[in-house]
Amino acid sequence: MPRPMRRAAPRDPDSATASQPKDPTAATARRTALRHDLGASLVVFLIAIPLSLGIALAAGAPLTSGIIGAVVGGIVIGVLGGAPLQISGPAAGLTVVVAGLIPTYGWRVTCAITVAAGLLQVALGLAKVARAALALSPAIVHGMLAGIGIMIALAQLHVVLGGSPQSSALDNLRELPGQFAELRAAELAIGLLTVAVLMTWPLLAKRFLGLRNLPGPLVAVALATVVTAVLSLDVARVDLPGAALALPSLPTGFGWAGLATAVVTVAVVGAVESLLSAVATDRLHHGRRADLDRELAAQGVGNIVSGMVGGFPVSGGAIRSTANIRAGATSRASTIMHGFWVLLFAGLLGGMVESIPLAALAGLVMVVGMQMVNRAHIRHVHRHREFPAYVATVVGVVAAGVLQGVALGVVAAVVIALVRLSPSTVRTHERDGALHVEVHGSLTFLSVPRLSRVLDKLPPGEHVVLDLTVDYLDQAAFEAVHTWRNGYVARGGQVEIEEIHDDHYGRAAEGQPGSRRVGPTPSARWFAPWWHWQRLNIRRGRPPAHPLVAGAREFQLRTAPLVQPFFERLALEGQNPAQLFITCADSRVVPNLITASGPGDLFTVRNVGNFVPVHQHPHGPGDAGSQARHDSCEPSGSDDSVGAAIEYAVSILGVRSITVCGHSGCGAMQALLTNAADPADDDGRDRPGVTPHLNRWLANGKATLDRFAERPAPRLSDRPVSRVEQLCLTNVLQQLDNLLGHPVVHRAVEDGQLRLFGLYFDLATAQMYVHDAATGHFEPVDTPAERAARGADAATPPEAPLEVMRA
């Protein structure tokens, strides 16, 4: 029998030879992708023409430089870039920078600055520091773009009104009343028409689906051009010079410090705008993620080429990139083709551009500038309490310049970070005949003014106990506290200072300047049992409070202020958990801790043995077997509490998954095995008269015992398990089967609206496992590499994990 022929796979998808059979499916996919890329390139081309001209006009650069920048951004960066779906070209972020360079250095020297900025970007890309640029706070970046947008909008408003922009934003604002006094009706009408179309086009496109594929900038500029031609309006129009390209020239007679600042400004602003656009573009598609270092280097090459031929500085643009993806682009082919369309248009149809009124381009760029002040960004930074840094950056950019504004924003962000990293609370109360001043948190120079105000208000001659339970004490705070103590004692008072820094072994160490707590901080008390952190009061000789009261007080003092916003939202919106979590009542199992969940995440059911009683139809009140079951050790049918929770979670709350979580060392499973081996345990605990409710409840584990006897027990994939653990694992799987016996669960699973999960928690190793239906075993939830990294700390003291959690 002849052997079947096997086709070898080509080493590269694009290197298949003609002798190999062609895959018709792959060929069809390539044709479909090419068709999508072609359509997307045309859409982006129609946006790029008016936008590139408008940006060049707003910066005071030759209009042809905008076209050159668009061609270079499409072809050169399209071929070399690391973000295939990003469209590069003249972008609004560099408009203000270039507008400040041209009056100072002239256009040809500005081109040389563009080349130098490109070289710097290439060097940064090769040094692989692109990710470092994203380390800048989003509040500063958004504030920089918003400040640039305000400057652009103010400048172009003068053009829309028929005048000329001034050299700075403050001058534009100052001259605005005079510009209103000298309105030119024709320019104002065309500008307002352009703005109106751009502002209403998204709404029209949503209502009329046929308009969705038409780019708003093209429609606005085209309509303004047609109206100008039909009404024969006397307005200024685009003037494309027919002279040769303006090649760059070396600067002479200028200070090198100013030139270096200009180069760094162009390089940094262009790089940040490009990288942010690349990251934003990644969120809009599911293809290959952007290589930011390659993209930064490609942007540098693009600026070198653009500057050498007299083009505008280029960077990645969010407007064109978003339009490219939404138009269906699948590869860098759309980016490259869009550059060729711009080149073809400039060569064959350049005369059409000269009919575009300047007021229309100014209106277009003014809207782009206004859109750079993004309300979503403002809400985002305000929600993260970084609004002061945002405002500082905006004010700095508008009043002083881009780099100065960014520097001011960095200073504001650093101050905010220092304040957040130095939280402290100061409370004063009287107890046991003494005034107690309790200080918690980090005591730094930022906390000194508040602490000093409290201490200075204490009445003289009293016995003061200053309790410094702090995790950091710097030199300024140390000196302030001891200076106050010396003065208070000199005036007849008595001061007792308790500075306790808890170490791993519970020893109290006298606080020193610059020292930091080694043991659990107050925030880590969420992770530690009461006996671990409440021992501090015992060591100080204070009468111990009830542990629950002390824990509630600790929550109210430190944790409640942190979680109150979440509870407030949950109180207003109601609960909407995604998970029903069924686990054991064992005190060692803390569901929110082992799942890293918070308020509102889990709808939790806890009982002895994490049982889900088998669903049965309820018996009527006259059921004669009811009393007999009550007196025996048989399960009394479906447990209403568990069944009610299941029905409420699935039918009312609409949870999307149910998890049964078992754990090692489960007392219920140990009791099941003991009773199975010796039903009459001589300690008396299993006699119905001693624990009747518990015995009836444990009878719900009979199905687990039967399964354990009849089927191979599941196991953990990474280590052997004991007989009790085998029963614990079997119990998880049996309760998942019992869940499917509930009609409400069965219907939801069949409809694909609900998923069931089995988890297992090993107490000794704090390791979580999840059941793998394919293998039938329980697999660790983390990867081997993550477990190895965690195991590297195995030699640390027993309480070291608390420090890891705190960090």
Side-chain angles (χ1 to χ4, degrees):
M1 178 181 294
R3 291 181 300 175
M5 296 182 63
R6 297 172 56 190
R7 186 178 67 190
R11 288 172 297 177
D12 184 82
D14 298 326
S15 63
T17 62
S19 63
Q20 294 171 329
K22 294 183 178 179
D23 185 353
T25 304
T28 302
R30 285 194 294 269
R31 286 195 298 270
T32 302
L34 181 60
R35 184 171 66 253
H36 286 304
D37 288 335
L38 178 61
S41 69
L42 291 173
V43 171
V44 179
F45 152 70
L46 294 176
I47 297 175
I49 289 294
L51 194 60
S52 300
L53 291 172
I55 289 174
L57 173 69
L63 296 183
T64 52
S65 68
I67 300 295
I68 295 171
V71 173
V72 172
I75 299 176
V76 176
I77 301 179
V79 171
L80 302 176
L85 300 184
Q86 175 166 263
I87 304 294
S88 298
L94 287 168
T95 303
V96 175
V97 178
V98 176
L101 296 178
I102 294 176
T104 304
Y105 300 106
W107 175 244
R108 296 182 66 183
V109 175
T110 299
C111 291
I113 292 174
T114 301
V115 174
L119 292 171
L120 179 56
Q121 288 178 331
V122 170
L124 293 175
L126 295 178
K128 298 187 180 302
V129 297
R131 288 286 175 186
L134 299 179
L136 203 62
S137 169
I140 299 173
V141 175
H142 296 322
M144 178 191 75
L145 296 177
I148 291 173
I150 293 172
M151 296 176 71
I152 292 173
L154 287 174
Q156 296 312 296
L157 180 58
H158 282 269
V159 181
V160 170
L161 297 176
S164 300
Q166 306 301 312
S167 59
S168 69
L170 296 180
D171 291 339
N172 281 319
L173 195 60
R174 190 181 302 112
E175 297 295 329
L176 202 54
Q179 190 65 61
F180 277 109
E182 300 177 0
L183 291 177
R184 297 185 61 180
E187 276 85 355
L188 178 61
I190 295 300
L192 292 178
L193 174 63
T194 305
V195 172
V197 172
L198 289 169
M199 299 297 287
T200 59
W201 191 255
L203 300 177
L204 294 174
K206 287 182 180 179
R207 186 167 183 179
F208 304 101
L209 298 181
L211 302 178
R212 184 169 297 178
N213 293 328
L214 292 177
L218 176 67
V219 175
V221 174
L223 181 60
T225 303
V226 171
V227 170
T228 301
V230 171
L231 300 180
S232 302
L233 297 179
D234 182 20
V235 296
R237 290 176 170 81
V238 171
D239 181 20
L240 294 178
L245 298 177
L247 300 179
S249 64
L250 294 176
T252 57
F254 300 106
W256 288 105
L259 290 170
T261 302
V263 170
V264 172
T265 303
V266 173
V268 170
V269 173
V272 170
E273 188 171 18
S274 299
L275 296 176
L276 287 176
S277 176
V279 172
T281 300
D282 276 350
R283 298 172 184 158
L284 300 178
H285 66 88
H286 301 288
R288 185 169 61 88
R289 303 293 92 181
D291 183 342
L292 297 183
D293 293 309
R294 177 179 173 181
E295 179 65 20
L296 180 55
Q299 293 289 336
V301 174
N303 275 313
I304 293 172
V305 175
S306 184
M308 291 296 293
V309 296
F312 200 88
V314 295
S315 65
I319 295 176
R320 284 164 291 194
S321 301
T322 302
N324 185 44
I325 295 173
R326 290 178 177 173
T330 60
S331 70
R332 67 177 72 245
S334 63
T335 305
I336 299 171
M337 285 190 288
H338 124 271
F340 279 109
W341 299 139
V342 175
L343 179 63
L344 185 64
F345 175 84
L348 300 180
L349 302 175
M352 293 178 57
V353 176
E354 296 188 339
S355 61
I356 300 176
L358 295 181
L361 295 179
L364 168 62
V365 178
M366 185 175 75
V367 171
V368 171
M370 294 188 316
Q371 291 174 344
M372 293 173 72
V373 186
N374 192 302
R375 288 182 296 175
H377 292 163
I378 295 175
R379 288 195 298 268
H380 179 77
V381 299
H382 189 271
R383 185 165 59 248
H384 289 81
R385 298 184 298 167
E386 294 182 344
F387 193 64
Y390 178 90
V391 173
T393 307
V394 171
V395 172
V397 169
V398 172
V402 175
L403 288 186
Q404 294 86 343
V406 170
L408 184 61
V410 169
V411 172
V414 169
V415 172
I416 294 173
L418 286 174
V419 172
R420 290 181 180 176
L421 292 175
S422 303
S424 63
T425 58
V426 183
R427 298 177 67 254
T428 304
H429 59 90
E430 186 174 356
R431 187 175 72 241
D432 300 330
L435 289 176
H436 289 257
V437 180
E438 295 183 356
V439 183
H440 300 272
S442 298
L443 195 54
T444 68
F445 67 95
L446 295 174
S447 307
V448 167
R450 178 172 50 180
L451 178 61
S452 298
R453 284 194 298 269
V454 173
L455 296 178
D456 291 341
K457 291 180 181 179
L458 297 177
E462 297 287 342
H463 177 200
V464 178
V465 178
L466 185 56
D467 179 2
L468 301 181
T469 308
V470 295
D471 60 359
Y472 185 77
L473 183 69
D474 74 355
Q475 184 70 33
F478 181 85
E479 292 183 358
V481 168
H482 284 273
T483 299
W484 168 83
R485 180 181 65 174
N486 293 335
Y488 194 83
V489 172
R491 293 189 296 271
Q494 181 182 354
V495 177
E496 178 186 350
I497 296 181
E498 296 183 354
E499 298 177 276
I500 297 184
H501 292 243
D502 195 20
D503 67 11
H504 285 316
Y505 303 99
R507 293 186 297 264
E510 192 72 17
Q512 297 297 327
S515 60
R516 180 167 290 278
R517 178 189 295 269
V518 180
T521 62
S523 62
R525 295 178 182 176
W526 272 88
F527 308 114
W530 286 334
W531 61 262
H532 183 88
W533 59 270
Q534 291 188 8
R535 64 189 177 202
L536 292 176
N537 290 337
I538 299 175
R539 286 207 309 269
R540 294 169 183 168
R542 299 175 184 173
H546 189 280
L548 187 63
V549 175
R553 179 176 177 274
E554 184 70 20
F555 165 81
Q556 201 64 51
L557 180 64
R558 307 183 202 286
T559 309
L562 301 177
V563 298
Q564 185 273 334
F566 303 112
F567 282 110
E568 181 180 16
R569 179 173 177 177
L570 290 169
L572 293 175
E573 300 178 357
Q575 63 169 328
N576 185 29
Q579 172 83 225
L580 169 60
F581 196 83
I582 302 174
T583 191
C584 187
D586 194 299
S587 63
R588 299 167 296 178
V589 178
V590 186
N592 291 106
L593 179 61
I594 63 177
T595 59
S597 54
D601 291 334
L602 303 180
F603 188 72
T604 306
V605 172
R606 305 190 66 169
N607 59 54
V608 176
N610 47 272
F611 289 136
V612 178
V614 176
H615 175 77
Q616 297 180 8
H617 293 289
H619 296 276
D623 179 16
S626 166
Q627 183 63 36
R629 277 189 300 271
H630 184 273
D631 296 333
S632 70
C633 294
E634 296 179 2
S636 57
S638 177
D639 179 82
D640 287 342
S641 65
V642 178
I646 293 172
E647 292 174 356
Y648 184 77
V650 177
S651 301
I652 308 300
L653 297 178
V655 297
R656 294 180 290 278
S657 60
I658 301 179
T659 294
V660 175
C661 180
H663 68 95
S664 62
C666 180
M669 298 301 105
Q670 293 173 352
L672 288 176
L673 284 179
T674 301
N675 291 345
D678 184 6
D681 195 341
D682 58 5
D683 65 0
R685 287 180 299 172
D686 295 319
R687 292 197 301 272
V690 179
T691 56
H693 295 88
L694 176 61
N695 292 325
R696 283 195 300 274
W697 177 255
L698 289 178
N700 286 296
K702 183 178 184 302
T704 299
L705 284 173
D706 294 342
R707 184 189 189 113
F708 187 61
E710 297 168 1
R711 304 186 194 180
R715 62 182 180 85
L716 303 180
S717 64
D718 60 346
R719 66 174 178 82
V721 294
S722 65
R723 182 173 173 81
V724 174
E725 280 193 293
Q726 289 178 348
L727 185 61
C728 294
L729 297 171
T730 302
N731 184 56
V732 172
L733 301 186
Q734 181 59 47
Q735 304 318 310
L736 291 175
D737 288 351
N738 292 353
L739 273 172
L740 286 173
H742 286 254
V744 66
V745 175
H746 183 78
R747 286 194 301 269
V749 172
E750 288 292 322
D751 294 340
Q753 299 175 354
L754 185 67
R755 299 178 65 190
L756 305 183
F757 294 93
L759 289 182
Y760 182 78
F761 180 53
D762 181 50
L763 293 171
T765 61
Q767 176 67 55
M768 290 291 295
Y769 296 85
V770 62
H771 180 250
D772 186 348
T775 63
H777 305 314
F778 283 76
E779 304 285 345
V781 295
D782 51 356
T783 65
E786 291 169 335
R787 292 197 300 277
R790 190 176 69 243
D793 297 327
T796 55
E799 296 175 8
L802 294 173
E803 174 64 9
V804 177
M805 293 178 184
R806 184 192 69 80

